[in-house]
């Protein structure tokens, strides 16, 4: 509000907006920083007085805490997740992999560290961070108003959402960006995870992938999707599906709904396992899309 005007999108009495969230975060952060300063000051006073007690923190104690954390993580990974009703269709095996396995997430949504660190576009170029939590100088993609002049799997944003205050600061920082596949395109593809993502998540303990893929489309506001919206379940139409997907040259024949607009993909034999990845790669997959219906898009 104020210098930005009173027409902030989605701002209501029960959803105050990112500035309110920022203020609350700053207050909590201030409390934590003051507690840390007080603790360090107490340590310094004890040392200066020459009567420093036995240190509460040591390498030995650190290693002990680290071992407890390692044991706790192993216990968690070895446990069986409880399958709630909405995920029963996945089956126990894939459900366990998604809730206990090493995963990669490739998202267009903002704000996102992956977007701001250049992982989504593969550039590994970090954006410029500004006070208040917003960023500049990163790949924003293509405006939805200009899609017609482009081809390929396109990172896309909605131009009207990119409104700034008169002082040049963003009115909002939360955006439902998406990847577009147009009905006018031939096959378009992407490699996932890309090299930047692999390097960023090199801590993954299991580099050999299982090739289980969940695909989510843009969530339509209030469930009202545009007339050109292609739904993932259209791949299940056996006669003439509007949507085609291939993963490492294997055709996707079925999409099982998980929740909302997210689906688990499976091949001709019903298996949700697409193998360990491209040969001689670090568990990477070539994922291809084709939309057959004119004047439509996969969002």
């Amino acid at each position: 509000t104020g210098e930005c005007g009173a027409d902030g999108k989605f701002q209501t009495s029960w959803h105050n907006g990112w500035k309110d969230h920022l203020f609350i975060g700053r207050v909590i952060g201030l409390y934590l920083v003051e507690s840390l300063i007080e603790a360090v000051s107490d340590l310094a006073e004890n040392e200066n007085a020459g009567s420093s007690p036995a240190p509460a923190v040591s390498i030995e104690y650190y290693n002990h805490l680290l071992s407890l954390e390692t044991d706790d993580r192993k216990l968690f990974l070895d446990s069986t997740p409880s399958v709630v009703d909405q995920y029963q269709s996945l089956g126990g095996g894939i459900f366990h992999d998604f809730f206990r396995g090493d995963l990669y997430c490739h998202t267009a949504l903002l704000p996102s560290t992956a977007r701001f660190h250049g992982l989504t576009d593969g550039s590994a170029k970090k954006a410029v961070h500004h006070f208040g939590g917003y960023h500049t100088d990163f790949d924003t993609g293509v405006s939805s108003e200009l899609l017609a002049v482009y081809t390929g799997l396109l990172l896309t944003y909605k131009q009207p959402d990119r409104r700034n205050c008169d002082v040049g600061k963003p009115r909002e920082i939360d955006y439902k960006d998406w990847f577009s596949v147009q009905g006018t395109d031939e096959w378009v593809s992407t490699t996932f995870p890309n090299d930047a993502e692999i390097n960023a998540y090199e801590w993954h303990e299991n580099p050999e992938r299982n090739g289980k893929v969940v695909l989510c489309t843009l969530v339509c506001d209030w469930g009202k999707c545009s007339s050109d919206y292609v739904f993932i379940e259209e791949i299940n139409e056996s006669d003439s599906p509007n949507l085609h997907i291939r993963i490492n040259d294997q055709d996707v024949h079925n999409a099982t709904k998980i929740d909302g607009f997210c689906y688990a993909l499976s091949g001709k034999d019903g298996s949700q396992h697409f193998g360990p990845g491209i040969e001689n790669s670090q568990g990477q997959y070539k994922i291809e899309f084709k939309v057959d219906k004119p004047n439509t898009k996969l969002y």
Side-chain angles (χ1 to χ4, degrees):
T1 59
E3 62 190 13
C4 286
D7 61 339
K9 192 176 182 182
F10 304 126
Q11 191 170 33
T12 63
S13 60
W14 63 89
H15 187 284
N16 298 328
W18 67 271
K19 289 186 177 181
D20 188 62
H21 298 161
L22 175 65
F23 173 73
I24 294 173
R26 291 286 189 265
V27 171
I28 296 173
L30 180 62
Y31 165 75
L32 295 174
V33 170
E34 287 184 341
S35 298
L36 177 61
I37 292 174
E38 183 178 348
V40 172
S41 297
D42 288 345
L43 287 173
E45 289 176 4
N46 287 331
E47 184 175 0
N48 293 335
S51 58
S52 178
V57 179
S58 64
I59 293 297
E60 290 77 16
Y61 188 58
Y62 168 78
N63 289 332
H64 171 67
L65 293 178
L66 191 61
S67 68
L68 294 179
E69 184 176 328
T70 301
D71 292 343
D72 185 59
R73 175 171 173 78
K74 185 178 186 306
L75 181 64
F76 169 75
L77 293 176
D78 291 343
S79 66
T80 300
S82 300
V83 183
V84 295
D85 291 341
Q86 69 191 83
Y87 299 123
Q88 290 286 354
S89 59
L90 284 175
I94 191 172
F95 183 84
H96 183 278
D97 288 340
F98 279 117
F99 283 82
R100 294 293 187 268
D102 282 335
L103 307 178
Y104 282 99
C105 179
H106 190 76
T107 182
L109 298 176
L110 287 174
S112 162
T113 299
R115 289 281 305 273
F116 297 146
H117 284 192
L119 306 185
T120 303
D121 66 359
S123 68
K125 175 187 175 184
K126 291 189 177 182
V128 178
H129 178 271
H130 300 272
F131 178 81
Y134 69 97
H135 294 71
T136 58
D137 196 23
F138 65 96
D139 182 16
T140 56
V142 176
S143 167
S144 58
E145 298 174 354
L146 301 175
L147 280 177
V149 300
Y150 291 91
T151 60
L153 183 64
L154 302 170
L155 177 61
T156 312
Y157 66 90
K158 193 174 182 180
Q159 183 62 50
D161 289 346
R162 295 300 203 266
R163 299 180 299 168
N164 289 332
C165 302
D166 293 337
V167 293
K169 297 180 180 178
R171 189 184 302 247
E172 304 160 26
I173 60 173
D174 297 286
Y175 300 111
K176 292 194 294 186
D177 294 356
W178 67 93
F179 298 101
S180 297
V181 179
Q182 303 179 86
T184 54
D185 289 342
E186 294 300 321
W187 283 94
V188 300
S189 67
T190 185
T191 298
F192 174 73
N194 60 44
D195 292 342
E197 289 167 324
I198 289 176
N199 292 333
Y201 300 108
E202 59 184 356
W203 47 264
H204 275 195
E205 299 172 357
N206 180 21
E208 184 172 336
R209 318 308 312 171
N210 288 324
K212 296 174 180 177
V213 180
V214 167
L215 188 66
C216 301
T217 51
L218 180 69
V219 175
C220 306
D221 293 334
W222 311 111
K224 297 178 180 179
C225 300
S226 61
S227 59
D228 65 348
Y229 193 102
V230 173
F231 293 87
I232 295 179
E233 62 260 37
E234 293 185 41
I235 202 171
N236 298 333
E237 299 174 3
S238 57
D239 294 335
S240 55
N242 294 326
L243 175 63
H244 304 271
I245 303 176
R246 289 195 298 238
I247 301 176
N248 286 355
D249 296 325
Q250 301 178 57
D251 291 329
V252 173
H253 284 261
N254 187 264
T256 303
K257 187 172 183 177
I258 301 176
D259 186 19
F261 289 76
C262 293
Y263 292 76
L265 306 182
S266 56
K268 186 176 182 179
D269 58 356
S271 172
Q272 294 166 327
H273 186 282
F274 287 92
I278 301 171
E279 188 176 357
N280 298 322
S281 75
Q282 301 181 65
Q284 294 172 297
Y285 298 83
K286 181 181 180 182
I287 305 179
E288 301 173 273
F289 303 89
K290 190 176 189 300
V291 174
D292 274 346
K293 191 174 181 180
N295 302 317
T296 61
K297 302 180 187 69
L298 178 67
Y299 287 80

